[in-house]
């Protein structure tokens, strides 16, 4: 049964003119990055209210050490896993147009993927909330927290979406445009719980595209949206599918 789904999914990808991937926390778990939700998730240890933008601006000296611990120390040790590498290989072979990811860990880029729309931003940049200048994270020392803006001394905020913040227009537009054009969407490691990001596969489906889902267990997509469900670990099933496509 599962082999049948794998075969059909590989055939759909082979025939696709514009295939995309939509990824979430589940693709990075095997890289050592815990998901936010669920038992053992980041929000079981840290209070999500502290990552609300207004709270951060009022209490940066309290929130910055938490940001460093989660998003720079823990994420900094993570390496791409076989699922990230397989998607990069698919793109290099001309069989994947781009990725829309909800992850902020940059592991797709580390794996070699070129077209990556980071729907929730990334840890690679910071922005000064006073003078609005962007800085590369590696240019900012985290020895003193909160780190002061090198230009004006103002408060730096990581360039990913906090609670209480909207999705930047440009990335939302780029992701939605890709979803409208895609004839196949590979959904990996996400059940679409977070909106509006979670609507991306629905947009693909409404425009006639085929949905291939790789998840550990069934999700809200599985019965209403997904065409081919490959159950299992992203790091196992994604390379398996890519091998079936590229031979
Ligand atoms: Zn500044």
């Amino acid at each position: 049964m599962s082999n049948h789904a794998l075969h059909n999914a590989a055939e759909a990808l082979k025939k696709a003119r514009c295939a995309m991937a939509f990824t979430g926390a589940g693709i990075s778990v095997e890289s050592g990055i815990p998901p936010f939700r669920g038992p053992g998730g980041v929000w079981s240890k840290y209070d999500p209210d502290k990552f609300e933008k207004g709270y951060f601006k009022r209490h940066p000296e309290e929130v910055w050490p938490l940001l460093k611990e989660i998003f720079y120390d823990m994420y900094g040790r993570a390496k791409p896993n076989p699922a990230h590498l397989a998607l990069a290989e698919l793109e290099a072979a001309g069989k994947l147009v781009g990725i829309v990811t909800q992850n902020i860990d940059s592991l797709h880029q580390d794996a070699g993927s070129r077209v990556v729309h980071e729907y929730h931003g990334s840890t690679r940049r910071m922005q000064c909330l006073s003078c609005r200048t962007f800085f590369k994270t590696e240019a900012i020392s985290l020895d003193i927290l909160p780190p002061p803006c090198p230009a004006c001394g103002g408060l730096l905020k990581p360039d990913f979406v906090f609670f209480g913040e909207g999705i930047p227009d440009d990335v939302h537009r780029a992701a939605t445009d890709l979803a409208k054009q895609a004839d196949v969407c590979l959904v990996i490691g996400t059940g679409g719980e977070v909106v509006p990001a979670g609507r991306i596969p629905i947009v693909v489906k409404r425009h006639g595209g085929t949905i291939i889902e790789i998840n550990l267990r069934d999700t809200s997509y599985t019965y209403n949206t997904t065409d081919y469900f490959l159950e299992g670990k992203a790091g196992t099933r994604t390379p398996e599918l890519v091998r079936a496509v590229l031979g």
Side-chain angles (χ1 to χ4, degrees):
M1 177 106 140
S2 139
N3 278 337
H4 195 59
L6 178 68
H7 172 81
N8 288 341
E11 288 306 308
L13 265 172
K14 281 183 198 170
K15 279 186 233 144
R17 283 169 293 100
C18 177
M20 66 173 286
F22 175 67
T23 65
I27 197 172
S28 292
V29 169
E30 290 163 75
S31 292
I33 294 186
F36 288 99
R37 283 161 198 77
V42 171
W43 302 144
S44 68
K45 188 174 169 199
Y46 299 89
D47 178 0
D49 291 347
K50 309 238 155 121
F51 303 89
E52 192 268 323
K53 193 176 180 185
Y55 189 90
F56 169 70
K57 283 163 87 171
R58 291 191 302 276
H59 306 280
E61 64 298 321
E62 180 193 349
V63 179
W64 250 110
L66 307 177
L67 290 169
K68 178 176 183 289
E69 209 172 293
I70 304 170
F71 299 107
Y72 299 97
D73 295 345
M74 187 179 8
Y75 278 43
R77 291 190 292 270
K79 299 271 182 298
N81 68 55
H84 298 104
L85 296 168
L87 290 182
E89 193 185 343
L90 204 57
E91 183 188 27
K95 298 305 290 177
L96 191 76
V97 172
I99 298 171
V100 176
T101 187
Q102 300 165 87
N103 300 340
I104 59 175
D105 53 37
S106 301
L107 291 178
H108 287 301
Q109 289 94 330
D110 291 348
S113 288
R114 289 162 180 276
V115 181
V116 183
H117 302 290
E118 297 176 298
Y119 204 85
H120 293 142
S122 91
T123 58
R124 283 174 299 133
R125 294 199 308 173
M126 296 185 194
Q127 187 181 23
C128 174
L129 295 183
S130 302
C131 71
R132 316 307 297 181
T133 309
F134 285 96
F135 299 93
K136 285 188 174 170
T137 292
E138 62 259 32
I140 303 296
S141 163
L142 297 182
D143 292 342
I144 297 166
L145 299 177
C149 168
C152 78
L155 178 62
L156 290 176
K157 178 190 162 293
D159 188 30
F160 52 77
V161 176
F162 278 36
F163 293 117
E165 267 191 304
I167 305 299
D169 280 343
D170 53 347
V171 71
H172 176 73
R173 203 175 305 117
T176 306
D177 285 350
L178 179 57
K180 285 178 181 169
Q181 289 164 34
D183 47 10
V184 172
C185 180
L186 192 45
V187 174
I188 306 174
T190 174
E193 301 90 344
V194 179
V195 289
R199 295 204 189 98
I200 294 291
I202 316 284
V203 172
V204 176
K205 187 75 178 180
R206 283 203 185 128
H207 285 77
T210 298
I211 308 296
I212 301 166
E213 177 181 356
I214 296 178
N215 269 318
L216 281 176
R217 58 192 71 84
D218 53 355
T219 68
S220 65
Y221 293 132
T222 311
Y223 303 104
N224 300 317
T225 311
T226 297
D227 294 282
Y228 306 118
F229 181 49
L230 308 180
E231 188 178 339
K233 287 185 173 182
T236 307
R237 308 254 39 200
T238 314
E240 190 182 13
L241 174 61
V242 169
R243 274 197 304 276
V245 174
L246 302 180

